[in-house]
mmCIF file of all heavy atoms in Angstrom:
data_model
loop_
_atom_site.group_PDB
_atom_site.id
_atom_site.type_symbol
_atom_site.label_atom_id
_atom_site.label_comp_id
_atom_site.label_asym_id
_atom_site.label_seq_id
_atom_site.Cartn_x
_atom_site.Cartn_y
_atom_site.Cartn_z
ATOM 1 N N ASP A 78 1.902 4.631 17.254
ATOM 2 C CA ASP A 78 2.175 4.372 15.843
ATOM 3 C C ASP A 78 0.877 4.397 15.045
ATOM 4 O O ASP A 78 -0.219 4.207 15.596
ATOM 5 C CB ASP A 78 2.838 3.002 15.654
ATOM 6 C CG ASP A 78 4.277 2.967 16.130
ATOM 7 O OD1 ASP A 78 4.844 4.034 16.436
ATOM 8 O OD2 ASP A 78 4.835 1.856 16.184
ATOM 9 N N ILE A 79 0.992 4.592 13.758
ATOM 10 C CA ILE A 79 -0.161 4.552 12.860
ATOM 11 C C ILE A 79 -0.724 3.132 12.892
ATOM 12 O O ILE A 79 0.040 2.159 12.862
ATOM 13 C CB ILE A 79 0.266 4.959 11.436
ATOM 14 C CG1 ILE A 79 0.705 6.439 11.452
ATOM 15 C CG2 ILE A 79 -0.860 4.728 10.431
ATOM 16 C CD1 ILE A 79 1.396 6.908 10.192
ATOM 17 N N PRO A 80 -2.047 2.984 12.965
ATOM 18 C CA PRO A 80 -2.635 1.640 13.054
ATOM 19 C C PRO A 80 -2.157 0.747 11.907
ATOM 20 O O PRO A 80 -2.144 1.162 10.745
ATOM 21 C CB PRO A 80 -4.139 1.899 12.948
ATOM 22 C CG PRO A 80 -4.321 3.324 13.364
ATOM 23 C CD PRO A 80 -3.064 4.033 12.946
ATOM 24 N N PRO A 81 -1.753 -0.498 12.223
ATOM 25 C CA PRO A 81 -1.223 -1.406 11.197
ATOM 26 C C PRO A 81 -2.192 -1.668 10.036
ATOM 27 O O PRO A 81 -1.761 -1.844 8.905
ATOM 28 C CB PRO A 81 -0.942 -2.699 11.958
ATOM 29 C CG PRO A 81 -0.862 -2.302 13.390
ATOM 30 C CD PRO A 81 -1.731 -1.096 13.554
ATOM 31 N N ASP A 82 -3.511 -1.661 10.313
ATOM 32 C CA ASP A 82 -4.465 -1.951 9.238
ATOM 33 C C ASP A 82 -4.538 -0.844 8.201
ATOM 34 O O ASP A 82 -5.089 -1.034 7.122
ATOM 35 C CB ASP A 82 -5.854 -2.269 9.796
ATOM 36 C CG ASP A 82 -6.504 -1.092 10.498
ATOM 37 O OD1 ASP A 82 -5.837 -0.464 11.344
ATOM 38 O OD2 ASP A 82 -7.685 -0.806 10.205
ATOM 39 N N VAL A 83 -3.958 0.322 8.494
ATOM 40 C CA VAL A 83 -3.906 1.399 7.497
ATOM 41 C C VAL A 83 -2.985 0.991 6.350
ATOM 42 O O VAL A 83 -3.246 1.283 5.196
ATOM 43 C CB VAL A 83 -3.433 2.721 8.142
ATOM 44 C CG1 VAL A 83 -3.168 3.783 7.086
ATOM 45 C CG2 VAL A 83 -4.465 3.209 9.154
ATOM 46 N N GLY A 84 -1.903 0.274 6.669
ATOM 47 C CA GLY A 84 -0.949 -0.168 5.649
ATOM 48 C C GLY A 84 0.075 0.905 5.314
ATOM 49 O O GLY A 84 -0.133 2.081 5.600
ATOM 50 N N ILE A 85 1.164 0.460 4.766
ATOM 51 C CA ILE A 85 2.243 1.362 4.363
ATOM 52 C C ILE A 85 2.349 1.321 2.847
ATOM 53 O O ILE A 85 2.392 0.242 2.250
ATOM 54 C CB ILE A 85 3.577 0.949 5.029
ATOM 55 C CG1 ILE A 85 3.454 1.114 6.549
ATOM 56 C CG2 ILE A 85 4.734 1.786 4.487
ATOM 57 C CD1 ILE A 85 4.646 0.620 7.333
ATOM 58 N N ALA A 86 2.364 2.479 2.216
ATOM 59 C CA ALA A 86 2.433 2.574 0.753
ATOM 60 C C ALA A 86 3.710 1.912 0.243
ATOM 61 O O ALA A 86 4.779 2.075 0.825
ATOM 62 C CB ALA A 86 2.375 4.032 0.314
ATOM 63 N N ASP A 87 3.580 1.206 -0.838
ATOM 64 C CA ASP A 87 4.720 0.574 -1.497
ATOM 65 C C ASP A 87 4.966 1.336 -2.795
ATOM 66 O O ASP A 87 4.070 1.464 -3.619
ATOM 67 C CB ASP A 87 4.402 -0.899 -1.788
ATOM 68 C CG ASP A 87 5.588 -1.654 -2.322
ATOM 69 O OD1 ASP A 87 6.737 -1.241 -2.090
ATOM 70 O OD2 ASP A 87 5.366 -2.678 -2.997
ATOM 71 N N PHE A 88 6.168 1.850 -2.947
ATOM 72 C CA PHE A 88 6.520 2.640 -4.121
ATOM 73 C C PHE A 88 7.303 1.793 -5.115
ATOM 74 O O PHE A 88 8.180 1.028 -4.726
ATOM 75 C CB PHE A 88 7.371 3.849 -3.717
ATOM 76 C CG PHE A 88 6.605 4.888 -2.960
ATOM 77 C CD1 PHE A 88 6.404 4.752 -1.595
ATOM 78 C CD2 PHE A 88 6.066 5.981 -3.606
ATOM 79 C CE1 PHE A 88 5.690 5.703 -0.885
ATOM 80 C CE2 PHE A 88 5.355 6.934 -2.906
ATOM 81 C CZ PHE A 88 5.169 6.791 -1.542
ATOM 82 N N ALA A 89 7.007 1.954 -6.396
ATOM 83 C CA ALA A 89 7.738 1.260 -7.454
ATOM 84 C C ALA A 89 8.876 2.145 -7.948
ATOM 85 O O ALA A 89 8.714 3.353 -8.085
ATOM 86 C CB ALA A 89 6.807 0.937 -8.620
ATOM 87 N N ASP A 90 10.009 1.532 -8.220
ATOM 88 C CA ASP A 90 11.113 2.241 -8.863
ATOM 89 C C ASP A 90 10.900 2.094 -10.362
ATOM 90 O O ASP A 90 11.098 1.022 -10.920
ATOM 91 C CB ASP A 90 12.450 1.643 -8.436
ATOM 92 C CG ASP A 90 13.635 2.383 -9.034
ATOM 93 O OD1 ASP A 90 13.419 3.282 -9.882
ATOM 94 O OD2 ASP A 90 14.765 2.057 -8.653
ATOM 95 N N ILE A 91 10.473 3.165 -11.005
ATOM 96 C CA ILE A 91 10.146 3.121 -12.435
ATOM 97 C C ILE A 91 11.214 3.801 -13.277
ATOM 98 O O ILE A 91 10.997 4.088 -14.459
ATOM 99 C CB ILE A 91 8.767 3.743 -12.712
ATOM 100 C CG1 ILE A 91 8.691 5.165 -12.138
ATOM 101 C CG2 ILE A 91 7.663 2.865 -12.133
ATOM 102 C CD1 ILE A 91 7.478 5.934 -12.545
ATOM 103 N N THR A 92 12.356 4.034 -12.684
ATOM 104 C CA THR A 92 13.447 4.685 -13.399
ATOM 105 C C THR A 92 13.809 3.883 -14.644
ATOM 106 O O THR A 92 13.988 2.667 -14.579
ATOM 107 C CB THR A 92 14.683 4.810 -12.488
ATOM 108 O OG1 THR A 92 14.289 5.479 -11.298
ATOM 109 C CG2 THR A 92 15.803 5.574 -13.173
ATOM 110 N N GLY A 93 13.870 4.558 -15.786
ATOM 111 C CA GLY A 93 14.321 3.917 -17.014
ATOM 112 C C GLY A 93 13.247 3.212 -17.815
ATOM 113 O O GLY A 93 13.535 2.614 -18.845
ATOM 114 N N ARG A 94 12.019 3.250 -17.393
ATOM 115 C CA ARG A 94 10.964 2.620 -18.196
ATOM 116 C C ARG A 94 9.760 3.547 -18.288
ATOM 117 O O ARG A 94 9.492 4.338 -17.403
ATOM 118 C CB ARG A 94 10.584 1.257 -17.642
ATOM 119 C CG ARG A 94 9.506 1.235 -16.619
ATOM 120 C CD ARG A 94 8.900 -0.178 -16.535
ATOM 121 N NE ARG A 94 7.788 -0.265 -15.634
ATOM 122 C CZ ARG A 94 6.528 0.024 -15.964
ATOM 123 N NH1 ARG A 94 6.224 0.442 -17.166
ATOM 124 N NH2 ARG A 94 5.557 -0.103 -15.091
#
Side-chain angles (χ1 to χ4, degrees):
D78 288 350
I79 294 169
D82 65 311
V83 171
I85 296 174
D87 187 23
F88 290 83
D90 182 353
I91 54 171
T92 305
R94 89 160 184 85

